[in-house]
Amino acid sequence: MTASRPDAGAPVIGLDLGGTKIAAALVAGDGAVLARHSLPTPATSGAEAVLDALAGAVRTVWAPGTTAIGVAAAGVIDPRTGTVTSATDTIRGWAGTALAAGLAARTGLPVACDNDVRAAAATELPDPHDGGNGRGVTMIYAAVGTGVGGAVAVDGRMLQGAAGIAGHLGHLPSPEADGLLCTCGATGHLEAIAAGPGITAHYTRMSGVPADRLERVAARAAGGEPHATAAVVLGAEAVGRALGGLANTLGADRVVIGGGVPRIGALYTDALDAAFAAELMAPLRKLRPVPPRGGPDAAVLGAAALPRTLPLHHPPTTTGAPRCPRLSPQP
Ligand SMILES: [Zn+2]
């Protein structure tokens, strides 16, 4: 890694790596998307195959002048070491992968990487110069979907924490989740009651009626079914309380709730907002959670911004050779 940064005006390639899809974009210095490509993630073929697929995506969108690659990836990513600290089995063999080094070696370009939620969250941080007081914003970003992830920025700086794990809001103890097994192996964590599968499972526990997807529970709640309504509201309240407590702890200026679960609608967001507000100390009483500003490009744009702030991991031997010698079409 090095302190040198890509030229602010030069294009950067952003890669968003998820369990099912890789999205790639060539992003100009002003944030304009110049080229894009997406392909399926070879999730069952192992880490080397995923690195090969990422390099293939780079090759597709690359243009002369490209200075660096930013990767927003699933799993716990340590930007300092450029490795995947831990991950679920969504991508086989992903934990322990030398993501930045592997991609730099394949492409000949320097690589910065981070967790996908944190990269998207960074696009929600307002420019500190717009704030008026010169202090960066303290932000809590929650992504409530099939899990509960998140990111925390303090005074405008995104926290990475030990092993890159900062922001894992889903693994806060939650009274609503008391006794429930969490995906991390502990019991009583927020994710176990508030993630989509947690809400669905709670509905089934209360009603005895099987439900395979959150959408089904949401539809029953919209129809006035009391167990479905109770499960949705409890999940929302659990998130609201946890975030309200964190807002007090950190002195948050901005709280963003993203992910698929809030799309249930007003039943969910009203319950979350009320529970959040009930926790706030007096100086924060006007604070309310907001939806993300970013559109569908937030993850690739966040990825493309990573090389400007995070450690760059360089390819093994470039010795002043032209950039991207490895990008020529393979024989
Ligand atoms: Zn947990």
Side-chain angles (χ1 to χ4, degrees), residues 273-315:
D273 287 1
F276 176 84
E279 298 296 334
L280 296 179
M281 296 172 73
L284 294 182
R285 67 179 183 277
K286 289 183 180 155
L287 184 65
R288 290 295 176 272
V290 294
R293 283 186 294 237
D297 277 340
V300 282
L301 293 178
L306 297 176
R308 303 197 205 290
T309 56
L310 292 181
L312 283 170
H313 301 267
H314 285 268

Side-chain angles (χ1 to χ4, degrees), residues 188-211:
H189 284 178
L190 178 62
E191 181 165 296
I193 194 72
I199 293 173
T200 305
H202 189 56
Y203 166 74
T204 297
R205 275 194 302 276
M206 286 191 294
S207 65
V209 179

Side-chain angles (χ1 to χ4, degrees), residues 60-329:
T60 308
V61 299
W62 180 85
T66 303
T67 49
I69 299 170
V71 190
V76 180
I77 311 292
D78 187 340
R80 284 158 293 211
T81 61
T83 57
V84 183
T85 306
S86 74
T88 62
D89 301 335
T90 310
I91 299 174
R92 185 179 294 165
W94 193 230
T97 300
L99 169 59
L103 191 57
R106 280 165 173 79
T107 60
L109 286 167
V111 175
C113 58
D114 204 353
N115 165 262
D116 50 1
V117 175
R118 198 153 50 210
T123 67
E124 297 289 328
L125 274 177
D127 185 330
H129 304 295
D130 295 343
N133 61 7
R135 178 180 73 81
V137 159
T138 292
M139 178 183 77
I140 303 165
Y141 179 101
V144 189
T146 52
V148 178
V152 174
V154 174
D155 291 346
R157 220 168 53 82
M158 201 56 84
L159 293 187
Q160 293 158 1
I165 205 165
H168 276 72
L169 309 179
H171 306 284
L172 278 166
S174 167
E176 290 82 358
D178 191 28
L180 300 178
L181 185 63
C182 182
T183 54
C184 72
T187 57
H189 284 178
L190 178 62
E191 181 165 296
I193 194 72
I199 293 173
T200 305
H202 189 56
Y203 166 74
T204 297
R205 275 194 302 276
M206 286 191 294
S207 65
V209 179
D212 55 347
R213 297 200 322 271
L214 179 65
E215 288 76 8
R216 243 180 260 289
V217 180
R220 284 174 197 165
E225 208 277 279
H227 292 304
T229 303
V232 167
V233 166
L234 190 69
E237 288 176 344
V239 173
R241 285 188 193 131
L243 295 182
L246 276 176
N248 292 336
T249 306
L250 298 169
D253 304 286
R254 179 167 164 80
V255 176
V256 181
I257 315 271
V261 171
R263 292 190 207 122
I264 288 173
L267 173 67
Y268 183 90
T269 50
D270 289 353
L272 192 156
D273 287 1
F276 176 84
E279 298 296 334
L280 296 179
M281 296 172 73
L284 294 182
R285 67 179 183 277
K286 289 183 180 155
L287 184 65
R288 290 295 176 272
V290 294
R293 283 186 294 237
D297 277 340
V300 282
L301 293 178
L306 297 176
R308 303 197 205 290
T309 56
L310 292 181
L312 283 170
H313 301 267
H314 285 268
T317 49
T318 49
T319 59
R323 285 194 181 99
C324 307
R326 295 172 188 81
L327 282 173
S328 350

